[in-house]
Structures are given as structure tokens and as C-alpha cells.
Amino acid sequence: MAALTGVILAGGQGRRMGGQDKGLMLFRGIPLYQHVLQRLRPQVDIVMISANRNLDRYQSSGCRVISDTLPDYPGPLAGMLSGLQAAQTEWVAFCSCDTPFVPVDYVAKLEQHRAEAPAVWARSAERDHPALALLHRSLEAPLADYLRRGERRLMQFLREQGGHAVTISQDDAAFRNVNTPDDLEDNAL
């Protein structure tokens, strides 16, 4: 496959974290986004971080930091749009900042099972994980239009564009999200 850009989605409000920037919360002594960065970096050629706060802290990673082009934290699709707009590659792999155990080969598996689809996302035994996705840059204009219309449903957009899920692992633990302060303390994760 040609060069790939990876984007860590860290631009949310952190409501379930009491308003804290989730990506910067310490998990096992390391900021959450850095766990994701360690797993994503070997899978792509370039890593960017989509963030809307604490930009200087994310920039200390050495990655380019991009922010939503839309106001009021409209969700992961806004981060995906910013990633598609900023990418210089045809394909962009996305991963949320709260999945510290994301499989180290999920991007390759998405690409391998993409067929002709312009969008694919990860699936585990229990459910879909649409924020772990591979999107073609041609989706930039349809996504911008979708968001302009006030739509925010990630799975709906991906399906409307002809995308499909790819089963990455039967092990749901690989896709566990760290969403709350209790999750940060839960060593069973």
C-alpha cells in the first residue's frame, strides 16, 4: 500500500472524565494518547493528533497537531474531517485516544479486507468500532457536507459511503475504551 497517515482522535470534551482532556489522562503512568501512539506509529508513515485543547502538550510528542475546523466539539467525525483535510496521503487511518490496547496490526487488516470500499472500520466479536477506521481522502467533501447538515452519526456516514466492517479480532479486550476515571484505575483493563 502507498503511504498512510494515521490520526489519533483526541479532540473530545472529556465529559465522562469530568471535563478533563482524556488523551492526557495518565493510564499506567503514561498519557493515554501515548499508548495509542506507540501502537499506531509502526502501522503508518505519518501520525497526526486531532486535538482541540492542550495543543502544546500534544505537540511535545513530535506529531503534527490539527484541530477541528468546526466549532463546539461536534464529535469524532469532525476530527476525521480535519484529518482528511490535513493528510497528504490518499488513505488515512483513525484511532481514538482512549483505546490503549488497539491491535498493532489493525491498519494492515483494514487495508487487506477493504476491497474497493472507500471506508472500512474495525469489528470485534461483540460490536463495531467505527472510530478505528481507514478512509480514503475522497470522503472529505461528502463528510464536510454531512456535518454541515448537522449529522453526527459516524456509522451512518461510513455505511452511506459504501463502507463495511472488518473483523480484526475476536478478543474484545483489544478494543476496550478508557472512558472514566474508574477505568484509569482499573488494572483489569
Side-chain angles (χ1 to χ4, degrees), residues 5-9 40 46-50 66 79 83 92-96:
T5 299
V7 176
I8 298 173
L9 300 169
L40 180 61
I46 301 158
V47 178
M48 295 188 288
I49 299 171
S50 172
I66 56 175
V92 182
F94 294 92
C95 187
S96 55

Side-chain angles (χ1 to χ4, degrees), residues 1 90-91 110-121 134-139 158-159 161-166:
M1 184 171 181
E90 289 295 307
W91 291 93
L110 289 175
E111 170 54 24
Q112 185 177 33
H113 299 285
R114 181 180 59 77
E116 299 300 314
V120 288
W121 63 91
L134 181 65
L135 276 63
H136 190 267
R137 279 187 49 203
S138 64
L139 296 180
L158 296 174
R159 285 189 174 123
Q161 300 308 310
H164 62 86
V166 173

